[in-house]
Amino acid sequence: MTTSVSHFIDKLTARVSPLPAPYPRFVVFVSATDGESRARVRTITASSIDELRLRLEEKGSMQLLGGRHVRLDWPTSVQEVSFSTYKAALQKVKRNYSRKGMSLDAGFKHAVTEGELNGSALFYKGAKTPHCEMNLNNVQVYWKRRFGEAFEVPDDSDTVYLFSAEGMFRDDDRGEVVDLEPSGLNGGRRVFNLMQPDNLDGVIRESAEYLAAQVKDDGLFHYGKHPCFDRPINHYNTLRHASSTYALCEAYELLQSPVLREAIDRSLRQIAKNLVKYRSQPSGASAFLMDRGNEVKLGGNAVAILACCKFFEVTGDKTVLELALRLGNGILSMQQENGSFCHILDAETLTPREDFRTVYYDGEAAFALMRLYGATGDQRWLDATRRAVDDFIVKEYWQYNDHWLAYCVNELSRHDTDPKYIAFGVRNVRDYLPFIRERITTFPTLLELCCATRLLLQRALGDASLVQVVDELDLDAFREAMEHRAQYLANGFFFPEVAMHFRNPASVTGSFFIRHHGFRVRIDDVEHYLSGLIAYRSYLKDRDRFIELCDQQKRRRVTAAGQARWSTENITDLLPGSEWLMPPSEKLELNGVSIFASSFREDDIVFVRHADDRFGIPYKELEKNAIFPRLAIVSDNSGAFDQAGSVLRVPDMRAALMTLAKDARRSLLCPVVGVTGSAGKTTVTSMIAHCLGAAGKVHATRFSANMTRGLAWNLCCAPTDTQYCVLEMAIGQMQDNSRLARPDIAVFTNIHPAHLAYHTNTATIAQKKARIFSEMPDQGVAILNRDMSEYEIVEAAAERRGLRIVTYGWSETADIFPTSSEPSAMQVTLNVFGDYHIVPTLSGGRYAVDNVMAVAAVANVLDQPIGPMLERLTTFAKDVGRGQIIDLATSEGPAKILDHSYNANPASMRAALDEMLAMPCCGKRMVVLGDMAELGEQSRAEHDALLNFLKEKPLDAVYLVGDELKASLPLVGNDPRFAILDVKNLEGILTQQVTAGDIILVKGSNSTGLFQHLSGFRKA
């Protein structure tokens, strides 16, 4: 145990993030349970890593750390709000969806994690309160247990501290330590990919075994419980009994477990002997499933048939068919001449009580009749189903987007491919994809809806006459929604690290819960998750074929080079809630988007900003820049519209841009390369795009727009016939960036201290940048710099996602490495998976070779010839401010300015210096360096390190711009080479101090003004 605990502490101290003042530098919550009772939690604070380790090794902490299940959480960011603001904010959040921990004080003496808030129902006021609200009774009970004192309700003006967190979990049962997802919709459970078959099979097996264990000796189920306080649900529903038995039969088909078989047998005996009423009727011997309230439910008969027919299908046991046929006769007695059904009968008299209760019953009944047809071949079941579905079509039941309707239409399509049935199945999901994709509740029936529809689509696409019907649905958007929904279901699984905060963890571990119902666990909840995941497992086995069908549809839709991306005929269909303020007089074709004036192209949709909008071109800018858009998108009715040919109002400008971007990404048939890193990503993006130009039409990031909105804009501007798309992707909102770009190839240039004001340390930077992998396809490739800081963190993230990993670096451990290079050489020999290529570099220095290796890796992954492709680097022009050489005329002859003035961080500073020192020089070597912004608490140390680095370099003059470098100047003593420079005097240095043959490097963060003050020299 000691070794295990020591290893656990080592992993924590390597990953834990420090907090800024006034909070304790390190805060860690240690939660532990024996698996049978609610976790005990201890808060540990420390001012250093060494002190943190000592506190963790104290007796009380070690007792917790030696537990069976142990969880460590640490805050990564803190938000201060008044208690009144907090309460008001909670009222806007769906119950149990507040995803932050809370502290009553800045010292974290009285602080509780999100897991504690959920497990003890501290913010749950019951089913009648739809939002989060503090439950003072529950808080008092838990506060006494946790802190040994009463909870004092803060005054409205008091400050509370909300924190996001990351964590890890040790499970002694499985002998594993797993990383936990950071705070957010996925937060608190392990990093877990359901696209990986072993993970999916494990969840199916555990949840099936859980459901089987709920079947008592008499065949009835333990119906469910409220796990916060381990309270059973005391009522019973026989419909759910039968449908849960159906799910068990599906699981038995896959697992062939004797335990499952015995549970199914007990349940079916209970249905046949005690839950069904038998009757003789004119239509034949009938049976009806009895339910509470003295009711017979149409859906009850239906799901009992499904259980019987599935049992027969997977076991060959015909004894259950007699009951299924009788239940089918019962359904026929409830069907009208027009195909509709009566939903509820009086259980005593079997006379109608309710014509309609829920559309579920209709879909279940039609599905059950089709399963009877499949089991018996009796035509009357097929005829009855046709009448029912014809009635659904007349009533436009597709608008309900119901999973049972999808099941029944899919089953019907196996025997009748009438286009009207296929069209119904398509419409049942077509306009529902955004809901499926974005719904914050797990909503497991959405996965069932998708998986049943997938079978329908795949079957229909085998018939050429039905392709046009299916093409009403965007198959790739459908696939993306289905896959996202499947992965999202992991958020509803009671992993042990989630269950540990509830009263009786062992009683719910391996089950599924419904968060917004107080984490309720009920047999039908588990049933729907289980059925959906089993169906999804079938999809994954056939996924490559479905992807090919998606690609075939793309090729049908993009049939000619240069085809317009959008038209005014269909733009309103794409943007729900939009309305024409000035309709177009004729059909207009549109190929891109403009959100700022300098990006405008004639066939762009232009987003026009008014005062409340956060982006777009202001009205005044339209006239100033002579912009007359064919289509303007606005968010309100005010403003001058006479510059636009047509005007469309949308409810939300950002949502409209994201919708257009997702649509543009879906239609791209080409490989998408995403480039990230702390330094060099803009240059590497441009280099890759330039080289790929030898192989086809390339679209690459424009204007360095690499955050979410800029990424969306860049996607919108990609031509429909793009053959390669290369996108720069920043760390900010990387999860959203990955969801938008869905890169096939991800390139990591490096990890260095940058933007530390926002991201704490390089480990945090690595973890956040690694989210680029989150939405990549299974066949995706991660190209990683083998020598970069925090390589292991990034590699592990790529491995968890199941990606192929290609590495480049300066040793033979990498897949791509240099075999020859001189610091000033303009070419390098690369070993690329054993093959040798002599390729040009853009400049001397190590970083220049790094960049070339990254480009070579992309070429290799895309099966492009490396030599000819990289030869194009000889014609590559660096972006302004990112390494361009500016020729500077002096009275004695030419000098050179190495212009790296666009931005700076510690890594890019060293890279630029490396490049300059590798350049041939017959004069002086001079530098003008500005402050490096956004380094947070590390800023002083990084600027000091830069000055110490510069002292040792063969430089003739060093001019420093900015307060941070000025503060570091004493480190160089009386070194006459160093001087402080006001940026306004840059021109004087360049015109008075530079002589023929000199090289002067200019570099600093954009905020120093160096980039702007060089503009006159660039024009010259």
Side-chain angles (χ1 to χ4, degrees):
M1 182 190 77
T2 303
T3 302
S4 175
V5 170
S6 176
H7 176 66
F8 200 28
I9 293 175
D10 288 344
K11 285 181 70 70
L12 169 70
T13 54
R15 282 196 55 199
V16 66
S17 303
L19 293 175
Y23 314 112
R25 186 158 178 78
F26 296 100
V27 179
V28 176
F29 298 91
V30 183
S31 306
T33 176
D34 58 4
E36 307 295 328
S37 56
R38 196 188 306 275
R40 290 283 179 178
V41 185
R42 183 177 188 181
T43 308
I44 295 176
T45 60
S47 59
S48 68
I49 287 290
D50 289 341
E51 183 187 357
L52 176 63
R53 182 177 285 276
L54 288 173
R55 294 291 312 278
L56 289 166
E57 291 173 348
E58 292 174 352
K59 181 178 179 181
S61 301
M62 291 294 285
Q63 287 177 340
L64 290 178
L65 289 168
R68 177 182 169 194
H69 293 159
V70 184
R71 175 175 174 147
L72 303 177
D73 296 275
W74 56 91
T76 55
S77 63
V78 185
Q79 176 187 7
E80 298 181 11
V81 297
S82 69
F83 188 57
S84 61
T85 299
Y86 185 34
K87 288 189 296 183
L90 289 174
Q91 291 188 353
K92 299 176 182 178
V93 178
K94 194 175 187 70
R95 56 178 175 244
N96 293 316
Y97 275 84
S98 176
R99 306 311 301 263
K100 295 180 182 290
M102 178 192 70
S103 178
L104 297 185
D105 55 90
F108 281 78
K109 181 180 179 180
H110 295 97
V112 287
T113 65
E114 181 201 342
E116 294 176 87
L117 292 171
N118 293 334
S120 293
L122 304 191
F123 284 175
Y124 180 70
K125 287 292 292 285
K128 294 183 179 180
T129 303
H131 55 263
C132 290
E133 187 172 324
M134 187 173 288
N135 185 317
L136 287 177
N137 182 63
N138 293 348
V139 172
Q140 288 290 2
V141 171
Y142 188 73
W143 222 254
K144 187 70 175 177
R145 177 180 187 268
R146 172 81 154 85
F147 301 107
E149 59 188 68
F151 175 76
E152 295 185 10
V153 181
D155 293 334
D156 282 351
S157 59
D158 286 347
T159 299
V160 294
Y161 304 83
L162 313 181
F163 58 90
S164 298
E166 296 183 7
M168 59 177 66
F169 173 75
R170 195 190 76 233
D171 185 347
D172 275 359
D173 294 347
R174 306 185 189 195
E176 63 181 0
V177 174
V178 296
D179 292 331
L180 305 181
E181 290 280 0
S183 294
L185 290 177
N186 303 328
R189 51 93 170 161
R190 66 190 59 191
V191 176
F192 193 78
N193 184 6
L194 275 172
M195 294 287 283
Q196 295 179 1
D198 288 347
N199 287 346
L200 180 58
D201 286 352
V203 169
I204 289 172
R205 182 176 60 256
E206 286 190 51
S207 56
E209 290 171 353
Y210 178 89
L211 190 57
Q214 305 313 302
V215 183
K216 297 182 286 188
D217 290 343
D218 63 2
L220 292 174
F221 284 84
H222 294 288
Y223 187 62
K225 64 170 55 187
H226 297 291
C228 290
F229 303 107
D230 199 30
R231 292 173 184 157
I233 298 172
N234 294 319
H235 59 265
Y236 205 79
N237 182 303
T238 61
L239 185 156
R240 292 170 181 150
H241 174 121
S243 60
S244 297
T245 307
Y246 170 56
L248 280 174
C249 291
E250 291 182 300
Y252 178 68
E253 181 179 30
L254 174 64
L255 302 172
Q256 294 295 304
S257 162
V259 173
L260 265 63
R261 174 63 187 268
E262 291 166 7
I264 294 166
D265 287 342
R266 295 196 301 274
S267 175
L268 287 175
R269 281 198 299 271
Q270 175 64 227
I271 291 173
K273 291 184 177 181
N274 300 314
L275 303 184
V276 167
K277 174 182 284 190
Y278 297 92
R279 286 288 186 272
S280 295
Q281 293 184 304
S283 58
S286 302
F288 299 89
L289 187 72
M290 313 301 290
D291 217 326
R292 60 178 181 166
N294 200 35
E295 292 181 344
V296 170
K297 299 172 181 172
L298 173 69
N301 264 37
V303 293
I305 291 171
L306 293 175
C308 291
C309 287
K310 191 65 180 179
F311 183 77
F312 164 65
E313 179 186 336
V314 300
T315 67
D317 187 339
K318 295 183 178 180
T319 59
V320 293
L321 286 184
E322 179 59 31
L323 174 57
L325 292 170
R326 288 187 171 215
L327 290 164
N329 286 334
I331 288 180
L332 292 184
S333 73
M334 302 171 78
Q335 188 174 33
Q336 314 301 316
E337 284 295 323
N338 66 356
S340 65
F341 296 100
C342 174
H343 282 197
I344 306 294
L345 301 180
D346 182 275
E348 294 298 327
T349 63
L350 299 182
T351 55
R353 183 186 288 185
E354 291 181 39
D355 288 336
F356 182 88
R357 178 172 290 182
T358 172
V359 74
Y360 288 171
Y361 292 173
D362 289 311
E364 288 167 334
F367 183 31
L369 293 175
M370 281 309 306
R371 282 295 172 90
L372 272 174
Y373 177 69
T376 67
D378 189 334
Q379 185 69 24
R380 65 190 180 121
W381 306 122
L382 178 58
D383 292 341
T385 304
R386 285 195 183 109
R387 290 197 303 274
V389 178
D390 288 345
D391 183 58
F392 300 164
I393 293 171
V394 170
K395 293 176 179 175
E396 297 185 337
Y397 267 18
W398 53 264
Q399 64 189 304
Y400 292 108
N401 312 114
D402 178 57
H403 63 291
W404 290 113
L405 294 174
Y407 277 130
C408 83
V409 175
N410 170 57
E411 200 73 19
L412 177 58
S413 74
R414 295 177 59 192
H415 306 280
D416 189 335
T417 57
D418 190 316
K420 66 181 178 182
Y421 298 141
I422 310 302
F424 180 86
V426 168
R427 293 201 74 181
N428 196 39
V429 300
R430 187 189 67 189
D431 300 326
Y432 206 45
L433 297 183
F435 183 91
I436 295 171
R437 181 67 177 74
E438 303 298 337
R439 180 69 175 178
I440 65 165
T441 62
T442 47
F443 215 140
T445 57
L446 295 179
L447 182 58
E448 293 183 87
L449 166 66
C450 289
C451 289
T453 303
R454 189 273 302 187
L455 292 172
L456 171 81
L457 298 171
Q458 200 155 326
R459 188 179 303 110
L461 286 169
D463 184 338
S465 68
L466 297 173
V467 169
Q468 188 173 356
V469 178
V470 173
D471 278 354
E472 289 294 313
L473 176 69
D474 185 327
L475 292 181
D476 210 45
F478 169 80
R479 180 182 65 82
E480 180 192 357
M482 174 171 58
E483 292 183 357
H484 177 79
R485 183 50 45 184
Q487 178 61 36
Y488 200 69
L489 291 196
N491 295 330
F493 187 64
F494 258 130
F495 290 105
E497 63 269 17
V498 178
M500 68 187 302
H501 286 295
F502 293 79
R503 185 166 187 174
N504 184 357
S507 71
V508 293
T509 298
S511 69
F512 286 97
F513 57 82
I514 302 298
R515 176 183 290 269
H516 58 284
H517 287 306
F519 293 84
R520 180 195 74 196
V521 176
R522 207 168 63 187
I523 57 172
D524 58 309
D525 299 331
V526 179
E527 161 217 331
H528 286 299
Y529 280 100
L530 181 57
S531 289
L533 291 175
I534 289 172
Y536 189 68
R537 185 180 188 274
S538 175
Y539 160 72
L540 286 185
K541 287 182 173 294
D542 205 20
R543 182 172 182 263
D544 289 345
R545 170 59 182 153
F546 195 74
I547 289 175
E548 175 56 27
L549 294 174
C550 295
D551 290 343
Q552 288 174 9
Q553 184 188 67
K554 289 178 184 177
R555 288 190 285 272
R556 289 193 296 274
R557 290 184 168 187
V558 185
T559 56
Q563 179 176 327
R565 181 172 297 289
W566 302 295
S567 77
T568 47
E569 283 187 342
N570 59 28
I571 195 73
T572 54
D573 293 336
L574 192 62
L575 300 174
S578 59
E579 62 173 335
W580 289 110
L581 299 182
M582 289 177 55
S585 58
E586 59 182 350
K587 176 183 175 181
L588 301 174
E589 293 188 339
L590 305 149
N591 282 301
V593 160
S594 282
I595 57 176
F596 47 94
S598 59
S599 74
F600 175 70
R601 298 179 301 190
E602 187 177 350
D603 56 352
D604 278 346
I605 298 170
V606 174
F607 281 71
V608 181
R609 173 194 292 194
H610 72 84
D612 295 331
D613 290 323
R614 300 176 68 179
F615 71 95
I617 305 176
Y619 292 120
K620 293 181 180 179
E621 291 289 315
L622 297 177
E623 185 174 0
K624 176 182 176 182
N625 291 279
I627 294 175
F628 303 100
R630 297 177 181 179
L631 171 60
I633 286 184
V634 300
S635 62
D636 77 346
N637 300 352
S638 64
F641 300 122
D642 53 342
Q643 293 102 324
S646 55
V647 179
L648 185 68
R649 189 197 64 79
V650 297
D652 185 319
M653 295 268 277
R654 185 183 187 279
L657 178 63
M658 295 303 151
T659 297
L660 293 174
K662 290 174 183 177
D663 183 69
R665 175 62 183 91
R666 283 192 294 268
S667 67
L668 285 176
L669 304 179
C670 62
V672 173
V673 181
V675 181
T676 194
S678 298
K681 57 182 176 290
T682 300
T683 298
V684 170
T685 298
S686 298
M687 289 170 64
I688 293 170
H690 184 75
C691 289
L692 284 175
K697 186 172 182 177
V698 181
H699 174 74
T701 294
R702 300 163 61 205
F703 296 99
S704 299
N706 57 23
M707 298 290 280
T708 302
R709 191 168 63 214
L711 190 65
W713 166 68
N714 269 297
L715 280 167
C716 288
C717 294
T720 56
D721 57 345
T722 297
Q723 293 172 282
Y724 299 97
C725 183
V726 189
L727 299 171
E728 180 182 340
M729 298 173 65
I731 187 173
Q733 298 177 298
M734 181 60 88
Q735 187 84 40
D736 292 336
N737 289 349
S738 182
R739 187 173 297 140
L740 272 178
R742 290 185 286 120
D744 302 286
I745 300 169
V747 179
F748 254 88
T749 62
N750 46 57
I751 298 291
H752 291 297
H755 308 299
L756 290 178
Y758 308 108
H759 306 299
T760 308
N761 55 31
T762 54
T764 303
I765 291 170
Q767 291 155 16
K768 291 183 177 180
K769 281 187 176 290
R771 293 173 189 168
I772 193 175
F773 304 140
S774 61
E775 301 291 333
M776 290 178 65
D778 286 351
Q779 64 271 31
V781 181
I783 295 175
L784 309 181
N785 183 340
R786 188 66 185 80
D787 304 321
M788 68 183 174
S789 173
E790 314 294 356
Y791 172 81
E792 290 77 12
I793 291 176
V794 179
E795 180 189 48
E799 288 177 340
R800 284 196 299 269
R801 187 67 187 83
L803 304 175
R804 174 191 168 201
I805 297 174
V806 172
T807 60
Y808 66 91
W810 285 76
S811 74
E812 294 182 8
T813 60
D815 300 315
I816 301 171
F817 58 91
T819 62
S820 69
S821 65
E822 294 295 330
S824 60
M826 297 304 288
Q827 65 181 26
V828 63
T829 301
L830 297 182
N831 181 318
V832 182
F833 288 94
D835 294 329
Y836 293 87
H837 303 273
I838 300 174
V839 298
T841 62
L842 297 179
S843 57
R846 181 186 181 101
Y847 289 95
V849 178
D850 281 345
N851 293 348
V852 170
M853 287 193 288
V855 180
V858 173
N860 174 267
V861 169
L862 292 173
D863 293 323
Q864 294 296 328
I866 291 172
M869 179 163 287
L870 268 68
E871 188 62 30
R872 282 178 60 90
L873 289 175
T874 58
T875 61
F876 178 77
K878 292 183 178 180
D879 293 336
V880 175
R882 297 182 184 275
Q884 278 191 338
I885 301 292
I886 301 173
D887 290 323
L888 179 65
T890 73
S891 57
E892 296 86 4
K896 295 184 183 298
I897 300 172
L898 178 55
D899 179 8
H900 274 288
S901 62
Y902 187 79
N903 218 334
N905 61 48
S908 65
M909 277 287 197
R910 285 164 172 77
L913 286 160
D914 184 34
E915 179 184 345
M916 185 197 73
L917 292 171
M919 294 171 64
C921 178
C922 59
K924 301 189 297 295
R925 295 186 189 271
M926 309 167 66
V927 296
V928 176
L929 303 181
D931 282 352
M932 300 173 290
E934 299 179 354
L935 292 178
E937 293 183 347
Q938 299 299 312
S939 183
R940 177 79 279 108
E942 292 293 349
H943 284 87
D944 286 352
L946 177 61
L947 264 290
N948 285 322
F949 178 79
L950 291 169
K951 282 193 304 183
E952 309 303 322
K953 297 302 176 183
L955 300 171
D956 296 288
V958 179
Y959 297 98
L960 305 175
V961 176
D963 293 339
E964 291 282 0
L965 286 171
K966 182 178 180 180
S968 298
L969 188 61
L971 291 172
V972 302
N974 296 320
D975 192 326
R977 297 176 299 164
F978 288 79
I980 297 298
L981 174 70
D982 187 324
V983 70
K984 297 176 183 177
N985 298 325
L986 175 63
E987 182 178 351
I989 294 294
L990 296 178
T991 57
Q992 299 170 23
Q993 303 297 322
V994 178
T995 57
D998 291 353
I999 299 175
I1000 183 163
L1001 166 67
V1002 181
K1003 185 167 182 64
S1005 286
N1006 203 288
S1007 57
T1008 63
L1010 287 170
F1011 178 78
Q1012 294 82 358
H1013 279 78
L1014 269 184
S1015 60
F1017 293 89
R1018 296 188 193 103
K1019 293 174 183 177

